Amino acid sequence: MDVPVLKQGQYLIATVQSALTDADLAQLRHSLVEQVGRFRSRGVIVDVTAVDVLDSFACRTLRDIAHMAGFRGAETVIVGIHPDLAFTMVRLGLSLEGVSTALDLEEGLAFLDKETRRPGRRALHSGAAMPHPEPRKPRGNH
Amino acid sequence: MATIEHILIHSDRDILLARQKGRAMGMLAGFVSTDLTLIATAISELARNILLYAREGEVELHLIQEDRRNGMVIIARDQGPGIHDVERAMQDGFSTSGGLGLGLPGVKRLMDSFELISVPGRGTTVQISKWLHK
């Protein structure tokens, strides 16, 4: 099941709407990292409010998304980890080390607004490491 | 009500199916939402281990009652390569597949009981259970 990704200004918002298979998660990772370049996004929000389980694989994939998007110059924030998931992750010994989280979509947007406004942030992440930026896509012919 | 479910594990879709059936059975048993998430997550981890290490196997879900108390027993079984060093596999941070190495000890912490039987070359069986606390 594909996760819909909404482009909102400088941000990408991925809302997970049902339980995901490992392949779905890998697809989400691929598509977000690709779209950060295509839309020149500065921030990514992954909303996991509707997720039933965040096991070790899901956790690792979320970390990969955040780190890979980071290498591409976009800040990632995971939102909507409900109390049952948080409890289970702690028991299981999982962490989202190095990944920003926020309570919900609203807090996530506020966090990104604050983070992406910091001067020099994009250069820090993507400047020297990516000498060949993706060519700008044509804006469409209408 | 269904008291036993068998789910064959062949692909990542089966992991999803197993944890959804586990959650449904847990609901029948009367578990609260936190426990349902613990159970579903434990099933997810065990089913993924099957896929990762043995490629295929099965997950068995049992709804049981003892002294008028409901519980669930989950058995994950495969005929894969088995675990050569069980003691080490039960230490946090150990993994042979390049994974997080948190699988089995983590699962043990989610449940009330945990038993692991593994014969190298023959396969692995993990049996876990959770009881309704009243």
Side-chain angles (χ1 to χ4, degrees), chain A residues 1 19-25 51-60 63 82-85 87-95, chain B residues 12-13 15-16 19-20 23 33-35 37-38 40-41 44-45 48 51-52 92 98-100 102-103 105-107 109-111 130:
Chain A
M1 161 139 200
L20 296 181
T21 64
D22 296 359
D24 296 334
L25 278 161
V51 165
D52 64 328
V53 159
L54 274 180
D55 60 11
S56 54
F57 183 82
C59 228
R60 184 170 36 181
R63 269 205 314 255
H82 62 75
D84 291 343
L85 287 186
F87 180 69
T88 306
M89 287 163 76
V90 168
R91 278 282 186 92
L92 209 49
L94 299 178
S95 83
Chain B
D12 61 347
R13 300 203 165 273
I15 300 177
L16 213 66
R19 76 187 195 215
Q20 283 164 349
R23 188 181 278 272
S33 121
T34 305
D35 283 341
T37 303
L38 295 179
T41 307
S44 201
E45 295 288 320
R48 183 171 293 98
L51 207 57
L52 220 53
D92 264 329
L100 286 176
L102 297 165
V107 170
R109 283 194 295 272
L110 298 182
M111 306 301 284
K130 189 112 193 137

Short mmCIF file of all heavy atoms in Angstrom, two decimals, chain A residues 1 19-25 51-60 63 82-85 87-95, chain B residues 12-13 15-16 19-20 23 33-35 37-38 40-41 44-45 48 51-52 92 98-100 102-103 105-107 109-111 130:
data_model
loop_
_atom_site.label_atom_id
_atom_site.label_comp_id
_atom_site.label_asym_id
_atom_site.label_seq_id
_atom_site.Cartn_x
_atom_site.Cartn_y
_atom_site.Cartn_z
N MET A 1 0.84 -1.19 0.00
CA MET A 1 0.00 0.00 0.00
C MET A 1 0.88 1.25 0.00
O MET A 1 1.73 1.42 0.86
CB MET A 1 -0.89 -0.04 1.25
CG MET A 1 -1.46 1.31 1.62
SD MET A 1 -3.15 1.16 2.13
CE MET A 1 -3.70 2.84 1.91
N ALA A 19 -1.38 -0.13 8.19
CA ALA A 19 -0.20 -0.94 8.49
C ALA A 19 0.60 -1.13 7.20
O ALA A 19 0.04 -1.32 6.13
CB ALA A 19 -0.64 -2.29 9.04
N LEU A 20 1.92 -1.07 7.33
CA LEU A 20 2.77 -1.16 6.15
C LEU A 20 3.63 -2.42 6.19
O LEU A 20 4.12 -2.82 7.24
CB LEU A 20 3.71 0.05 6.08
CG LEU A 20 3.07 1.42 5.90
CD1 LEU A 20 4.16 2.49 5.81
CD2 LEU A 20 2.20 1.46 4.66
N THR A 21 3.82 -3.02 5.02
CA THR A 21 4.75 -4.14 4.91
C THR A 21 6.17 -3.57 4.84
O THR A 21 6.36 -2.37 4.64
CB THR A 21 4.51 -4.97 3.64
OG1 THR A 21 4.77 -4.14 2.51
CG2 THR A 21 3.08 -5.49 3.58
N ASP A 22 7.16 -4.45 4.97
CA ASP A 22 8.55 -4.01 4.86
C ASP A 22 8.81 -3.37 3.50
O ASP A 22 9.52 -2.36 3.40
CB ASP A 22 9.49 -5.21 5.05
CG ASP A 22 9.38 -5.80 6.45
OD1 ASP A 22 8.59 -5.27 7.25
OD2 ASP A 22 10.09 -6.79 6.74
N ALA A 23 8.20 -3.95 2.47
CA ALA A 23 8.40 -3.42 1.12
C ALA A 23 7.78 -2.02 1.00
O ALA A 23 8.35 -1.13 0.37
CB ALA A 23 7.79 -4.35 0.09
N ASP A 24 6.61 -1.82 1.62
CA ASP A 24 5.97 -0.50 1.60
C ASP A 24 6.86 0.54 2.28
O ASP A 24 6.99 1.67 1.80
CB ASP A 24 4.63 -0.53 2.36
CG ASP A 24 3.60 -1.43 1.70
OD1 ASP A 24 3.69 -1.64 0.48
OD2 ASP A 24 2.71 -1.93 2.42
N LEU A 25 7.47 0.14 3.40
CA LEU A 25 8.35 1.06 4.13
C LEU A 25 9.57 1.43 3.29
O LEU A 25 9.97 2.59 3.24
CB LEU A 25 8.80 0.42 5.45
CG LEU A 25 7.81 0.52 6.61
CD1 LEU A 25 8.14 -0.51 7.69
CD2 LEU A 25 7.85 1.91 7.23
N VAL A 51 -0.29 4.10 12.42
CA VAL A 51 0.55 2.90 12.35
C VAL A 51 0.22 1.96 13.52
O VAL A 51 0.08 2.41 14.66
CB VAL A 51 2.04 3.30 12.38
CG1 VAL A 51 2.93 2.12 12.68
CG2 VAL A 51 2.42 3.93 11.05
N ASP A 52 0.09 0.67 13.24
CA ASP A 52 -0.28 -0.29 14.29
C ASP A 52 0.93 -0.75 15.10
O ASP A 52 0.84 -0.98 16.29
CB ASP A 52 -1.01 -1.51 13.68
CG ASP A 52 -0.10 -2.30 12.74
OD1 ASP A 52 0.76 -1.69 12.09
OD2 ASP A 52 -0.28 -3.53 12.65
N VAL A 53 2.06 -0.87 14.42
CA VAL A 53 3.25 -1.42 15.06
C VAL A 53 4.49 -0.68 14.55
O VAL A 53 4.62 -0.46 13.35
CB VAL A 53 3.38 -2.93 14.73
CG1 VAL A 53 4.81 -3.42 14.91
CG2 VAL A 53 2.43 -3.77 15.57
N LEU A 54 5.36 -0.27 15.46
CA LEU A 54 6.67 0.24 15.04
C LEU A 54 7.71 -0.74 15.58
O LEU A 54 8.17 -0.60 16.70
CB LEU A 54 6.92 1.65 15.60
CG LEU A 54 6.39 2.83 14.79
CD1 LEU A 54 6.73 4.14 15.48
CD2 LEU A 54 6.93 2.84 13.37
N ASP A 55 8.02 -1.75 14.79
CA ASP A 55 8.98 -2.75 15.24
C ASP A 55 10.38 -2.33 14.82
O ASP A 55 10.59 -1.21 14.35
CB ASP A 55 8.59 -4.13 14.69
CG ASP A 55 8.56 -4.16 13.18
OD1 ASP A 55 9.02 -3.20 12.55
OD2 ASP A 55 8.06 -5.16 12.64
N SER A 56 11.36 -3.23 15.00
CA SER A 56 12.75 -2.84 14.74
C SER A 56 12.96 -2.41 13.29
O SER A 56 13.66 -1.45 13.03
CB SER A 56 13.70 -3.98 15.11
OG SER A 56 13.34 -5.17 14.44
N PHE A 57 12.29 -3.10 12.37
CA PHE A 57 12.49 -2.75 10.96
C PHE A 57 11.90 -1.37 10.64
O PHE A 57 12.53 -0.54 9.98
CB PHE A 57 11.88 -3.81 10.04
CG PHE A 57 12.13 -3.53 8.59
CD1 PHE A 57 13.33 -3.89 8.00
CD2 PHE A 57 11.18 -2.88 7.82
CE1 PHE A 57 13.58 -3.61 6.67
CE2 PHE A 57 11.43 -2.59 6.48
CZ PHE A 57 12.63 -2.96 5.90
N ALA A 58 10.69 -1.13 11.13
CA ALA A 58 10.03 0.16 10.87
C ALA A 58 10.84 1.30 11.47
O ALA A 58 11.03 2.35 10.86
CB ALA A 58 8.62 0.14 11.45
N CYS A 59 11.35 1.05 12.69
CA CYS A 59 12.14 2.05 13.39
C CYS A 59 13.41 2.39 12.61
O CYS A 59 13.76 3.55 12.44
CB CYS A 59 12.53 1.47 14.73
SG CYS A 59 12.24 2.55 16.06
N ARG A 60 14.06 1.33 12.14
CA ARG A 60 15.29 1.54 11.39
C ARG A 60 15.00 2.29 10.09
O ARG A 60 15.76 3.16 9.67
CB ARG A 60 15.95 0.19 11.09
CG ARG A 60 17.29 0.33 10.39
CD ARG A 60 18.01 -0.97 10.32
NE ARG A 60 17.07 -2.08 10.13
CZ ARG A 60 17.43 -3.35 10.05
NH1 ARG A 60 18.69 -3.68 10.19
NH2 ARG A 60 16.54 -4.30 9.86
N ARG A 63 14.56 5.92 10.77
CA ARG A 63 15.88 6.54 11.00
C ARG A 63 16.60 6.75 9.68
O ARG A 63 17.20 7.81 9.44
CB ARG A 63 16.73 5.63 11.90
CG ARG A 63 16.59 5.94 13.37
CD ARG A 63 17.82 5.50 14.13
NE ARG A 63 18.25 4.17 13.75
CZ ARG A 63 18.08 3.08 14.49
NH1 ARG A 63 17.49 3.18 15.66
NH2 ARG A 63 18.48 1.91 14.08
N HIS A 82 1.86 7.27 19.07
CA HIS A 82 0.92 7.26 20.19
C HIS A 82 1.49 6.50 21.39
O HIS A 82 2.49 5.79 21.27
CB HIS A 82 -0.48 6.80 19.76
CG HIS A 82 -0.56 5.42 19.23
ND1 HIS A 82 -0.50 4.32 20.03
CD2 HIS A 82 -0.71 4.97 17.96
CE1 HIS A 82 -0.61 3.23 19.28
NE2 HIS A 82 -0.72 3.60 18.02
N PRO A 83 0.89 6.68 22.57
CA PRO A 83 1.49 6.16 23.81
C PRO A 83 1.79 4.65 23.77
O PRO A 83 2.84 4.23 24.26
CB PRO A 83 0.43 6.46 24.87
CG PRO A 83 -0.34 7.61 24.33
CD PRO A 83 -0.32 7.46 22.84
N ASP A 84 0.90 3.85 23.18
CA ASP A 84 1.14 2.40 23.13
C ASP A 84 2.41 2.08 22.35
O ASP A 84 3.18 1.20 22.73
CB ASP A 84 -0.04 1.68 22.44
CG ASP A 84 -1.29 1.73 23.29
OD1 ASP A 84 -1.17 2.01 24.50
OD2 ASP A 84 -2.38 1.50 22.73
N LEU A 85 2.59 2.80 21.24
CA LEU A 85 3.79 2.57 20.44
C LEU A 85 5.03 2.99 21.20
O LEU A 85 6.05 2.29 21.19
CB LEU A 85 3.71 3.35 19.11
CG LEU A 85 2.75 2.85 18.04
CD1 LEU A 85 2.94 3.66 16.77
CD2 LEU A 85 2.97 1.38 17.74
N PHE A 87 5.48 3.13 24.41
CA PHE A 87 5.71 2.15 25.48
C PHE A 87 6.39 0.89 24.93
O PHE A 87 7.37 0.39 25.49
CB PHE A 87 4.37 1.80 26.14
CG PHE A 87 4.48 0.81 27.26
CD1 PHE A 87 5.09 1.15 28.46
CD2 PHE A 87 3.97 -0.47 27.12
CE1 PHE A 87 5.19 0.24 29.50
CE2 PHE A 87 4.07 -1.39 28.15
CZ PHE A 87 4.68 -1.04 29.35
N THR A 88 5.84 0.40 23.82
CA THR A 88 6.38 -0.82 23.22
C THR A 88 7.82 -0.62 22.74
O THR A 88 8.68 -1.49 22.95
CB THR A 88 5.50 -1.27 22.03
OG1 THR A 88 4.16 -1.38 22.49
CG2 THR A 88 5.95 -2.61 21.47
N MET A 89 8.08 0.53 22.13
CA MET A 89 9.43 0.80 21.64
C MET A 89 10.44 0.84 22.78
O MET A 89 11.55 0.34 22.66
CB MET A 89 9.45 2.12 20.86
CG MET A 89 8.77 2.02 19.50
SD MET A 89 8.36 3.64 18.84
CE MET A 89 9.98 4.19 18.31
N VAL A 90 10.04 1.42 23.89
CA VAL A 90 10.93 1.50 25.05
C VAL A 90 11.22 0.09 25.58
O VAL A 90 12.36 -0.28 25.83
CB VAL A 90 10.32 2.39 26.16
CG1 VAL A 90 11.08 2.22 27.46
CG2 VAL A 90 10.33 3.84 25.73
N ARG A 91 10.16 -0.72 25.70
CA ARG A 91 10.33 -2.10 26.17
C ARG A 91 11.23 -2.91 25.26
O ARG A 91 12.05 -3.71 25.68
CB ARG A 91 8.97 -2.79 26.21
CG ARG A 91 8.16 -2.52 27.45
CD ARG A 91 8.67 -3.36 28.61
NE ARG A 91 7.82 -3.20 29.77
CZ ARG A 91 6.79 -3.99 30.05
NH1 ARG A 91 6.49 -5.00 29.26
NH2 ARG A 91 6.07 -3.78 31.11
N LEU A 92 11.05 -2.69 23.97
CA LEU A 92 11.79 -3.45 22.97
C LEU A 92 13.24 -2.98 22.89
O LEU A 92 14.10 -3.68 22.38
CB LEU A 92 11.10 -3.27 21.61
CG LEU A 92 11.18 -4.37 20.56
CD1 LEU A 92 10.83 -5.72 21.14
CD2 LEU A 92 10.24 -4.06 19.41
N GLY A 93 13.49 -1.78 23.41
CA GLY A 93 14.85 -1.24 23.38
C GLY A 93 15.16 -0.51 22.09
O GLY A 93 16.31 -0.37 21.71
N LEU A 94 14.11 -0.06 21.39
CA LEU A 94 14.32 0.65 20.13
C LEU A 94 14.48 2.14 20.40
O LEU A 94 13.92 2.67 21.35
CB LEU A 94 13.11 0.45 19.20
CG LEU A 94 12.81 -0.97 18.79
CD1 LEU A 94 11.56 -1.00 17.92
CD2 LEU A 94 13.99 -1.55 18.02
N SER A 95 15.25 2.79 19.54
CA SER A 95 15.36 4.24 19.68
C SER A 95 15.30 4.90 18.31
O SER A 95 15.53 4.26 17.29
CB SER A 95 16.65 4.61 20.38
OG SER A 95 17.70 4.63 19.45
N ASP B 12 6.80 -10.66 3.36
CA ASP B 12 6.57 -9.60 4.34
C ASP B 12 5.07 -9.32 4.56
O ASP B 12 4.68 -8.81 5.60
CB ASP B 12 7.34 -8.32 3.96
CG ASP B 12 6.93 -7.74 2.63
OD1 ASP B 12 6.23 -8.44 1.86
OD2 ASP B 12 7.30 -6.59 2.35
N ARG B 13 4.25 -9.71 3.58
CA ARG B 13 2.81 -9.55 3.77
C ARG B 13 2.29 -10.47 4.88
O ARG B 13 1.34 -10.16 5.59
CB ARG B 13 2.03 -9.86 2.49
CG ARG B 13 2.40 -8.97 1.36
CD ARG B 13 1.33 -8.85 0.29
NE ARG B 13 1.66 -7.70 -0.54
CZ ARG B 13 1.28 -6.47 -0.26
NH1 ARG B 13 0.53 -6.22 0.78
NH2 ARG B 13 1.64 -5.47 -1.03
N ILE B 15 3.92 -11.27 7.52
CA ILE B 15 4.26 -10.68 8.82
C ILE B 15 3.09 -9.80 9.28
O ILE B 15 2.65 -9.85 10.42
CB ILE B 15 5.54 -9.81 8.72
CG1 ILE B 15 6.74 -10.65 8.26
CG2 ILE B 15 5.84 -9.12 10.04
CD1 ILE B 15 8.03 -9.84 8.07
N LEU B 16 2.59 -9.01 8.32
CA LEU B 16 1.47 -8.11 8.59
C LEU B 16 0.23 -8.90 8.99
O LEU B 16 -0.45 -8.58 9.97
CB LEU B 16 1.19 -7.32 7.31
CG LEU B 16 0.69 -5.91 7.46
CD1 LEU B 16 1.78 -5.05 8.08
CD2 LEU B 16 0.31 -5.34 6.10
N ARG B 19 0.50 -10.40 12.54
CA ARG B 19 0.32 -9.47 13.66
C ARG B 19 -1.11 -8.94 13.73
O ARG B 19 -1.62 -8.65 14.80
CB ARG B 19 1.37 -8.37 13.66
CG ARG B 19 1.19 -7.27 12.64
CD ARG B 19 2.41 -6.38 12.66
NE ARG B 19 2.18 -5.13 11.98
CZ ARG B 19 3.11 -4.49 11.27
NH1 ARG B 19 4.32 -4.99 11.17
NH2 ARG B 19 2.83 -3.35 10.69
N GLN B 20 -1.78 -8.86 12.55
CA GLN B 20 -3.18 -8.44 12.57
C GLN B 20 -4.07 -9.51 13.19
O GLN B 20 -4.97 -9.22 13.96
CB GLN B 20 -3.64 -8.07 11.15
CG GLN B 20 -3.12 -6.69 10.73
CD GLN B 20 -3.21 -6.42 9.24
OE1 GLN B 20 -3.46 -7.32 8.45
NE2 GLN B 20 -2.99 -5.16 8.86
N ARG B 23 -3.48 -9.47 16.90
CA ARG B 23 -4.20 -8.37 17.55
C ARG B 23 -5.68 -8.71 17.70
O ARG B 23 -6.28 -8.47 18.75
CB ARG B 23 -4.02 -7.09 16.72
CG ARG B 23 -4.55 -5.84 17.35
CD ARG B 23 -4.35 -4.65 16.45
NE ARG B 23 -3.02 -4.08 16.52
CZ ARG B 23 -2.65 -3.14 17.39
NH1 ARG B 23 -3.53 -2.69 18.26
NH2 ARG B 23 -1.45 -2.67 17.40
N SER B 33 -5.45 -2.06 24.92
CA SER B 33 -4.76 -1.63 23.71
C SER B 33 -3.23 -1.67 23.82
O SER B 33 -2.54 -2.04 22.87
CB SER B 33 -5.29 -0.26 23.30
OG SER B 33 -4.30 0.69 23.26
N THR B 34 -2.69 -1.33 25.00
CA THR B 34 -1.22 -1.38 25.16
C THR B 34 -0.72 -2.80 24.98
O THR B 34 0.26 -3.05 24.26
CB THR B 34 -0.81 -0.88 26.57
OG1 THR B 34 -1.36 0.41 26.76
CG2 THR B 34 0.70 -0.81 26.71
N ASP B 35 -1.41 -3.77 25.61
CA ASP B 35 -1.00 -5.17 25.48
C ASP B 35 -1.14 -5.66 24.04
O ASP B 35 -0.33 -6.44 23.56
CB ASP B 35 -1.84 -6.06 26.40
CG ASP B 35 -1.36 -5.96 27.85
OD1 ASP B 35 -0.22 -5.51 28.05
OD2 ASP B 35 -2.14 -6.31 28.76
N THR B 37 -0.73 -3.94 21.39
CA THR B 37 0.42 -3.43 20.64
C THR B 37 1.68 -4.23 20.97
O THR B 37 2.47 -4.56 20.08
CB THR B 37 0.64 -1.93 20.93
OG1 THR B 37 -0.56 -1.23 20.61
CG2 THR B 37 1.77 -1.35 20.10
N LEU B 38 1.85 -4.58 22.26
CA LEU B 38 3.00 -5.40 22.66
C LEU B 38 2.96 -6.74 21.93
O LEU B 38 3.96 -7.21 21.38
CB LEU B 38 3.01 -5.64 24.17
CG LEU B 38 3.21 -4.45 25.10
CD1 LEU B 38 3.16 -4.91 26.57
CD2 LEU B 38 4.53 -3.77 24.85
N ALA B 40 1.26 -7.61 19.15
CA ALA B 40 1.42 -7.47 17.70
C ALA B 40 2.88 -7.22 17.33
O ALA B 40 3.39 -7.74 16.33
CB ALA B 40 0.53 -6.34 17.17
N THR B 41 3.56 -6.44 18.17
CA THR B 41 4.96 -6.13 17.88
C THR B 41 5.84 -7.37 18.06
O THR B 41 6.74 -7.64 17.25
CB THR B 41 5.46 -4.99 18.80
OG1 THR B 41 4.56 -3.88 18.67
CG2 THR B 41 6.86 -4.53 18.41
N SER B 44 5.40 -9.54 15.13
CA SER B 44 6.08 -8.94 13.99
C SER B 44 7.57 -9.28 14.01
O SER B 44 8.15 -9.66 12.99
CB SER B 44 5.87 -7.42 14.03
OG SER B 44 6.07 -6.85 12.78
N GLU B 45 8.19 -9.15 15.18
CA GLU B 45 9.63 -9.42 15.29
C GLU B 45 9.93 -10.90 15.03
O GLU B 45 10.87 -11.22 14.31
CB GLU B 45 10.13 -9.04 16.69
CG GLU B 45 10.06 -7.55 17.01
CD GLU B 45 11.11 -6.72 16.27
OE1 GLU B 45 12.25 -7.19 16.13
OE2 GLU B 45 10.77 -5.62 15.81
N ARG B 48 9.41 -11.81 11.39
CA ARG B 48 10.48 -11.29 10.54
C ARG B 48 11.75 -12.13 10.69
O ARG B 48 12.46 -12.38 9.72
CB ARG B 48 10.78 -9.83 10.82
CG ARG B 48 11.84 -9.30 9.87
CD ARG B 48 12.06 -7.83 9.90
NE ARG B 48 10.92 -7.08 9.42
CZ ARG B 48 10.02 -6.54 10.20
NH1 ARG B 48 10.14 -6.64 11.50
NH2 ARG B 48 9.00 -5.89 9.70
N LEU B 51 11.48 -15.03 8.39
CA LEU B 51 11.70 -14.65 7.00
C LEU B 51 13.18 -14.40 6.74
O LEU B 51 13.74 -14.80 5.73
CB LEU B 51 10.88 -13.38 6.72
CG LEU B 51 10.43 -13.15 5.30
CD1 LEU B 51 9.60 -14.30 4.78
CD2 LEU B 51 9.62 -11.86 5.23
N LEU B 52 13.81 -13.73 7.71
CA LEU B 52 15.20 -13.30 7.57
C LEU B 52 16.17 -14.47 7.63
O LEU B 52 17.10 -14.57 6.84
CB LEU B 52 15.50 -12.33 8.73
CG LEU B 52 16.33 -11.10 8.50
CD1 LEU B 52 15.79 -10.27 7.35
CD2 LEU B 52 16.36 -10.26 9.77
N ASP B 92 21.47 -8.50 24.47
CA ASP B 92 21.15 -7.29 23.72
C ASP B 92 22.33 -6.92 22.84
O ASP B 92 23.46 -6.98 23.27
CB ASP B 92 20.86 -6.13 24.69
CG ASP B 92 19.37 -5.99 24.93
OD1 ASP B 92 18.59 -6.30 24.00
OD2 ASP B 92 18.98 -5.60 26.04
N GLY B 98 23.19 -8.60 10.51
CA GLY B 98 23.39 -7.18 10.29
C GLY B 98 22.20 -6.35 10.71
O GLY B 98 22.07 -5.20 10.33
N GLY B 99 21.32 -6.94 11.48
CA GLY B 99 20.14 -6.22 11.95
C GLY B 99 20.49 -5.38 13.17
O GLY B 99 21.66 -5.11 13.44
N LEU B 100 19.49 -5.02 13.92
CA LEU B 100 19.73 -4.18 15.08
C LEU B 100 20.28 -5.00 16.25
O LEU B 100 20.83 -4.47 17.18
CB LEU B 100 18.43 -3.52 15.53
CG LEU B 100 17.93 -2.38 14.67
CD1 LEU B 100 16.61 -1.90 15.17
CD2 LEU B 100 18.94 -1.25 14.69
N LEU B 102 18.53 -6.58 18.39
CA LEU B 102 17.69 -6.38 19.58
C LEU B 102 16.51 -7.33 19.58
O LEU B 102 15.68 -7.30 20.47
CB LEU B 102 17.16 -4.95 19.61
CG LEU B 102 18.22 -3.86 19.73
CD1 LEU B 102 17.61 -2.53 19.38
CD2 LEU B 102 18.79 -3.83 21.12
N GLY B 103 16.45 -8.17 18.60
CA GLY B 103 15.27 -8.98 18.40
C GLY B 103 14.78 -9.77 19.60
O GLY B 103 13.80 -9.41 20.23
N PRO B 105 15.93 -10.63 22.85
CA PRO B 105 15.80 -10.09 24.21
C PRO B 105 14.68 -9.06 24.31
O PRO B 105 13.99 -8.99 25.33
CB PRO B 105 17.16 -9.43 24.48
CG PRO B 105 18.07 -9.92 23.43
CD PRO B 105 17.24 -10.36 22.27
N GLY B 106 14.50 -8.29 23.25
CA GLY B 106 13.42 -7.30 23.22
C GLY B 106 12.06 -7.96 23.29
O GLY B 106 11.19 -7.57 24.07
N VAL B 107 11.89 -9.01 22.47
CA VAL B 107 10.62 -9.74 22.46
C VAL B 107 10.33 -10.32 23.85
O VAL B 107 9.21 -10.27 24.34
CB VAL B 107 10.64 -10.87 21.39
CG1 VAL B 107 9.45 -11.79 21.54
CG2 VAL B 107 10.68 -10.27 20.00
N ARG B 109 11.18 -9.15 26.66
CA ARG B 109 10.73 -8.08 27.57
C ARG B 109 9.27 -7.68 27.33
O ARG B 109 8.62 -7.12 28.21
CB ARG B 109 11.63 -6.85 27.42
CG ARG B 109 12.97 -6.98 28.12
CD ARG B 109 13.65 -5.64 28.24
NE ARG B 109 14.01 -5.07 26.94
CZ ARG B 109 15.16 -5.32 26.31
NH1 ARG B 109 16.07 -6.09 26.86
NH2 ARG B 109 15.40 -4.78 25.14
N LEU B 110 8.76 -7.95 26.11
CA LEU B 110 7.38 -7.57 25.81
C LEU B 110 6.36 -8.54 26.40
O LEU B 110 5.20 -8.21 26.56
CB LEU B 110 7.16 -7.52 24.29
CG LEU B 110 7.97 -6.52 23.46
CD1 LEU B 110 7.56 -6.59 22.00
CD2 LEU B 110 7.80 -5.11 23.98
N MET B 111 6.82 -9.79 26.68
CA MET B 111 5.87 -10.85 27.01
C MET B 111 6.04 -11.32 28.45
O MET B 111 6.95 -10.92 29.16
CB MET B 111 6.08 -12.03 26.04
CG MET B 111 6.01 -11.66 24.58
SD MET B 111 4.43 -10.92 24.05
CE MET B 111 3.39 -12.36 23.99
N LYS B 130 1.33 -14.35 26.87
CA LYS B 130 0.92 -13.14 27.59
C LYS B 130 -0.39 -13.45 28.30
O LYS B 130 -1.29 -14.05 27.71
CB LYS B 130 0.73 -11.99 26.60
CG LYS B 130 0.52 -10.66 27.26
CD LYS B 130 1.72 -9.76 27.00
CE LYS B 130 1.69 -8.54 27.88
NZ LYS B 130 3.02 -8.24 28.43
#
